[in-house]
Amino acid sequence: MTVPWSGAGLPPAAELRITEAQRSGTWSSALSTSAFAAIRSVGFEPVGQAMGSTVYQVGRAGRFWGYYDCLYLGAGYTMSSAPGQVALSGDDAPSAGLVHVFDEARRTALGRLAAECAALGGDGVVAAEFTMAPFPSQPNCLEFKVIGTAVRARGEVRAPRPFTCHLDGQGFAKLVAAGWVPVELLVGMSIGVRHDDFGTRSQAFSWNNTEVGAWSELVGDVRADARHQLELQGTRAGGDGVVLASGDLRIWRESCVRASRYGTEAEDHVAESTMIGTTIARFQARAERPPTLAVMPLGKRGERLRRRLAAMEASPYGDPAERRRLGAELEELGDQG
């Protein structure tokens, strides 16, 4: 690429791809046949795949103590049993700076996804999958990417701005048929840090079966804060509610940066909760039940179940309960499938 780009608007490569698609008059998508039929049944047509991505350098910086400061006042004392606390990003702990960086990167990627959708003439994006992955050969850099299929309503009424959602074609069709529309794909995130004080270590290495209260508090507070952040984003986006796509919890240990200042070795536990969902809004009130979307698939039932199971396992939003149900159906079929 020799075309300079300021970072505003569409990347030059995306502009070229969209121009070629418009010239050819064809569109591409990752939709299955059933998803394509479901989207058309509620008055929408696919107009092409859309993508937004950005690469961010995320340094270990922040306030004086860094992002993972536990804020524990007794961190310099190995035998300190003073009551600790969870340093929560939602309460403006130092980790709030790291959450802000991730949120900014996600918003940038989603903004570029919406810009590509608009350039394709779409009204929104369905089946949007959001991923975050290390950038090769650069450990402090992360790529934030979201990709989905842009769709356009058959009609004269246009949305003020493109919607984005994680719902697949069937989920989107059911939502619209019930009188609801997706508004925006959201990511709620929280980071909490809890110092491993003397009481916590005593519980963790006890000979008896006992709850490690500090760690229970850590995971509970972080999950609750991530859900709260998701709700706040949904309210700001103008939605009436949030449909959850996935929830992830990571926990790891960090050397306590606060204790190291006093020449003491100690550890903290860090928990990171990420929840992805789509905020939705009601566009009409209807007393009658929505029509049933009837799809009569052809072929062997076992083959269809295997395709559905493979698609669910490939999706980051697969429902474990649904996977178990499909597996049980396949086992019941046996040689008949």
Side-chain angles (χ1 to χ4, degrees):
M1 294 295 297
T2 58
V3 180
W5 182 47
S6 65
L10 290 176
E15 287 187 349
L16 179 62
R17 178 169 56 83
I18 290 172
T19 300
E20 290 178 349
Q22 292 172 337
R23 184 184 302 117
S24 67
T26 60
W27 49 266
S28 62
S29 80
L31 299 174
S32 65
T33 303
S34 298
F36 171 68
I39 287 173
R40 294 195 76 248
S41 72
V42 290
F44 283 80
E45 299 279 356
V47 293
Q49 280 190 301
M51 184 189 74
S53 68
T54 182
V55 177
Y56 263 59
Q57 193 275 343
V58 183
R60 193 182 176 92
R63 297 180 184 176
F64 181 77
W65 295 105
Y67 287 133
Y68 299 129
D69 180 8
C70 64
L71 299 179
Y72 185 59
L73 298 179
Y77 305 94
T78 305
M79 302 301 290
S80 175
S81 58
Q85 62 177 348
V86 177
L88 205 59
S89 58
D91 294 334
D92 202 31
S95 55
L98 184 58
V99 172
H100 175 75
V101 172
F102 284 173
D103 284 344
E104 181 180 334
R106 293 186 184 103
R107 286 195 300 269
T108 300
L110 285 168
R112 290 171 182 168
L113 174 76
E116 282 203 19
C117 173
L120 288 166
D123 293 312
V125 178
V126 301
E129 293 189 359
F130 194 96
T131 58
M132 180 181 73
F135 194 73
S137 76
Q138 197 68 27
N140 286 342
C141 289
L142 295 169
E143 182 193 16
F144 298 79
K145 180 184 70 175
V146 58
I147 184 169
T149 298
V151 297
R152 179 180 174 86
R154 295 195 302 265
E156 301 300 323
V157 180
R158 304 265 76 86
R161 59 188 178 90
F163 63 80
T164 52
C165 72
H166 74 274
L167 299 167
D168 60 10
Q170 292 92 326
F172 172 74
K174 291 177 182 177
L175 190 73
V176 173
W180 295 78
V181 289
V183 179
E184 187 175 345
L185 183 67
L186 306 175
V187 181
M189 183 179 183
S190 176
I191 296 177
V193 186
R194 183 62 158 78
H195 185 73
D196 290 351
D197 55 31
F198 180 76
T200 302
R201 294 194 301 273
S202 298
Q203 292 174 337
F205 295 101
S206 172
W207 288 98
N208 300 317
N209 297 328
T210 183
E211 179 183 13
V212 184
W215 294 348
S216 295
E217 181 185 13
L218 173 64
V219 297
D221 287 357
V222 168
R223 283 193 177 106
D225 185 45
R227 188 175 293 276
H228 178 60
Q229 299 305 320
L230 196 68
E231 292 171 353
L232 289 177
Q233 292 180 30
T235 301
R236 288 194 293 266
D240 296 316
V242 176
V243 179
L244 193 64
S246 64
D248 179 61
L249 180 69
R250 292 198 309 131
I251 302 173
W252 69 95
R253 294 181 296 181
E254 288 277 348
S255 296
C256 180
V257 293
R258 184 171 284 261
S260 64
R261 184 189 180 203
Y262 301 100
T264 303
E265 291 187 4
E267 286 188 336
D268 299 329
H269 268 75
V270 183
E272 175 190 282
S273 178
T274 305
M275 294 188 177
I276 300 177
T278 297
T279 182
I280 62 175
R282 184 182 293 277
F283 70 87
Q284 70 179 41
R286 47 192 305 175
E288 71 276 9
R289 293 176 60 86
T292 301
L293 297 176
V295 178
M296 302 297 291
L298 303 177
K300 292 185 177 180
R301 182 184 175 196
E303 294 177 355
R304 297 198 303 273
L305 290 174
R306 292 187 188 93
R307 286 197 297 269
R308 288 176 59 187
L309 187 59
M312 184 166 293
E313 290 177 344
S315 170
Y317 310 133
D319 184 358
E322 181 67 10
R323 282 200 294 267
R324 290 193 295 269
R325 189 189 68 78
L326 292 174
E329 283 194 41
L330 277 171
E331 188 173 351
E332 288 179 3
L333 283 177
D335 297 337
Q336 303 301 316

